[in-house]
Amino acid sequence: MFQSFLIKYAEIGIKGKNRYLFEDALLSHIHHALKRLDGQFTVTKESGRIYAHAGAPFDYDEVTEALTCVFGVAAVCPLKRVEDLGFEALKKQVVEYIEETYPDKSFTFKVNTRRVNKQYPGSSEQINRDLGEVILETFPQTKVDVHQPDVLLNVEIRPKGVNLYSRVIPGPGGMPVGTNGRAMLLLSGGIDSPVAGYMIAKRGVKIEAVYFHAPPYTSERAKQKVVDLAREVSRYSGPIKLHVVNFTDIQLAIYDKCPHEELTIIMRRYMMRIAEELAKKDNCQGLITGESIGQVASQTVHSLAVTNEVCALPVFRPVIGFDKQDIVDIALKIGTYETSIEPYEDCCTIFVAKHPVTKPVLEKIRKSERNLEEQIDGMLKEAVETAEVVWC
Ligand code: ATP
Ligand code: MG
């Protein structure tokens, strides 16, 4: 019964003269999200609102699901559009709408009329009262509640017809992807980094990703898991260019030449260096990680400071102050959790020391890295040059 959707946006409404850029980006993401589905939707902007109109039958759940993944969408309201055949006809149309939309009629309601067509007879107040009366008469189980109605029935009288809507499906909020620069996500197979990528993309940032794998110590299956995670994040962020970096030689060299309690921290520093190199090549303005203070030895404040030291680009760590459970809750909400807990080995866990340093001293770490001096430049260059690109 719904042929159209009214798509409401919040934050982008306040962006002054940039508003058009934001609206156009949102329009194009909505168009993109619906293009893959049936329904032959046309997406239009009309007096500060976005509508998607179907030209063919579609799957309601599939469409609402797709729309509620688009960042910048505050709410999705399924619409019934009826012809303007006069007020008596409108009463019937409203009754029909209620009949079809709410099988259970024991609810409180309020009618909210907007006369965009100022020629339409009667005041909005009067129309609210008259339509309310008809609903009460037809469905005696209903009640009016003007303060906190269960159902707020919106009646929008437009020049070319009347829009009826009352369902409001919350969207993800945030800003349209691509309106806020580009950043490189360090994506592992864990729970945290997909959530971090989601959170930064939600602020309008276009994301790419880099995964460090260490064959044969890490399997093809572990890599596939990261590809799967990138695909899951891409439902929200749009297509992700995933760089798969072969990290084996560097890890073996570190293992060979550096104190074992410093393995993780040194490895993390090289990951950041390579990520930054790839980021700069692709015009990214920042890096993103899933680090959270104190979660593991390499994420104490001391360790984070030492890891951060190698980067010139800003590093965005959106889950830095979150407890694990907070991160898990988001992973569950966005649908990455199930994949993240698949039991495939990670390169960090294979080369991990029994007692990693928790308070690394920068000077000491630098000194250990000097053991790699002769070989490391060539290895870094090769890692960057041989990175494989997988579009997710
Ligand atoms: P996650 O759940 O995201 O894997 P974690 O709690 O396992 O995080 P670490 O393994 O210490 O934490 O990694 C910290 C961050 O470093 C990750 O969130 C991710 O951004 C990055 N990272 C770690 N391992 C890799 C990897 N193999 N490839 C790409 N990035 C990685
Ligand atoms: Mg991890």
Side-chain angles (χ1 to χ4, degrees):
M1 70 165 260
F2 297 108
Q3 315 95 322
S4 304
F5 296 86
L6 164 63
I7 297 149
K8 295 189 172 174
Y9 45 94
E11 197 149 3
I12 66 174
I14 54 168
K15 287 288 168 186
K17 59 184 175 188
N18 283 336
R19 181 174 167 153
Y20 293 100
L21 289 177
F22 284 74
E23 283 177 344
D24 290 349
L26 184 57
L27 218 71
S28 115
H29 290 309
I30 291 169
H31 179 77
H32 194 79
L34 295 176
K35 207 172 63 181
R36 298 175 284 118
L37 310 176
D38 294 336
Q40 295 171 16
F41 282 93
T42 21
V43 184
T44 57
K45 188 162 87 173
E46 288 167 39
S47 44
R49 297 170 144 218
I50 292 176
Y51 293 93
H53 303 300
F58 62 90
D59 182 317
Y60 175 84
D61 292 336
E62 217 175 57
V63 167
T64 49
E65 160 77 22
L67 289 173
T68 51
C69 283
V70 178
F71 291 137
V73 170
V76 176
C77 307
L79 283 187
K80 186 174 164 90
R81 303 201 121 190
V82 296
E83 248 184 288
D84 178 5
L85 302 170
F87 194 59
E88 285 311 307
L90 182 59
K91 287 182 183 169
K92 288 207 188 76
Q93 289 158 331
V94 163
V95 165
E96 233 174 74
Y97 174 89
I98 298 283
E99 185 65 61
E100 288 168 6
T101 314
Y102 300 99
D104 177 5
K105 306 290 185 302
S106 39
F107 55 75
T108 61
F109 74 94
K110 174 184 173 178
V111 181
N112 178 34
T113 303
R114 250 184 87 210
R115 282 163 67 255
V116 182
N117 172 11
K118 298 291 177 209
Q119 313 300 312
Y120 199 87
S123 68
S124 301
E125 295 305 305
Q126 192 57 49
I127 298 173
N128 288 343
R129 272 197 297 276
D130 291 350
L131 291 178
E133 221 164 84
V134 173
I135 296 172
L136 285 172
E137 274 167 22
T138 320
F139 308 109
Q141 312 94 300
T142 62
K143 276 200 199 79
V144 170
D145 180 347
V146 291
H147 301 294
Q148 279 197 314
D150 299 325
V151 173
L152 177 64
L153 174 66
N154 292 282
V155 179
E156 250 180 31
I157 302 174
R158 307 182 70 87
K160 286 195 201 129
V162 181
N163 289 336
L164 303 175
Y165 69 93
S166 55
R167 280 199 197 162
V168 180
I169 307 161
M175 299 192 209
V177 169
T179 56
N180 237 332
R182 180 184 278 271
M184 179 70 73
L185 166 68
L186 284 87
L187 181 62
S188 66
I191 296 170
D192 310 329
S193 43
V195 169
Y198 168 91
M199 288 175 74
I200 296 298
K202 187 173 168 192
R203 300 308 303 159
V205 179
K206 177 83 193 152
I207 58 172
E208 291 190 18
V210 51
Y211 166 60
F212 296 91
H213 80 147
Y217 304 97
T218 59
S219 63
E220 265 311 293
R221 196 59 194 76
K223 173 179 152 191
Q224 185 57 43
K225 175 182 173 182
V226 174
V227 170
D228 293 345
L229 283 171
R231 294 230 163 96
E232 281 156 16
V233 175
S234 79
R235 284 176 49 220
Y236 307 91
S237 67
I240 295 178
K241 182 180 179 185
L242 172 68
H243 306 258
V244 180
V245 171
N246 187 324
F247 203 50
T248 312
D249 289 349
I250 296 177
Q251 269 193 315
L252 289 175
I254 300 172
Y255 194 76
D256 211 28
K257 301 271 171 63
C258 302
H260 283 191
E261 69 273 14
E262 294 173 356
L263 286 182
T264 310
I265 194 87
I266 293 176
M267 192 184 76
R268 301 274 309 121
R269 280 163 60 92
Y270 283 112
M271 281 186 181
M272 299 302 267
R273 286 178 174 113
I274 294 171
E276 182 166 277
E277 204 57 44
L278 292 169
K280 284 183 181 157
K281 271 172 105 174
D282 278 5
N283 286 319
C284 295
Q285 294 87 36
L287 303 176
I288 308 164
T289 74
E291 290 160 312
S292 150
I293 291 176
Q295 207 184 73
V296 286
S298 59
Q299 295 176 30
T300 63
V301 169
H302 298 80
S303 299
L304 288 167
V306 171
T307 306
N308 202 71
E309 192 262 343
V310 299
C311 303
L313 288 180
V315 182
F316 306 131
R317 300 178 170 93
V319 300
I320 196 71
F322 284 23
D323 291 345
K324 192 73 186 186
Q325 190 57 48
D326 301 336
I327 305 173
V328 166
D329 289 345
I330 300 178
L332 285 167
K333 192 184 82 184
I334 67 175
T336 53
Y337 183 75
E338 288 303 320
T339 307
S340 286
I341 59 169
E342 287 174 5
Y344 302 107
E345 70 294 331
D346 181 72
C347 62
C348 304
T349 46
I350 287 170
F351 292 88
V352 79
K354 273 216 184 73
H355 301 288
V357 280
T358 53
K359 287 191 183 175
V361 177
L362 183 58
E363 265 323 305
K364 200 162 163 287
I365 298 291
R366 279 190 181 148
K367 189 159 163 260
S368 305
E369 284 178 355
R370 257 174 250 140
N371 299 342
L372 302 166
E373 234 162 29
E374 280 169 24
Q375 39 185 168
I376 196 69
D377 287 349
M379 285 162 73
L380 288 176
K381 191 160 173 272
E382 175 157 358
V384 169
E385 279 171 3
T386 60
E388 175 200 358
V389 169
V390 183
W391 277 97
C392 300

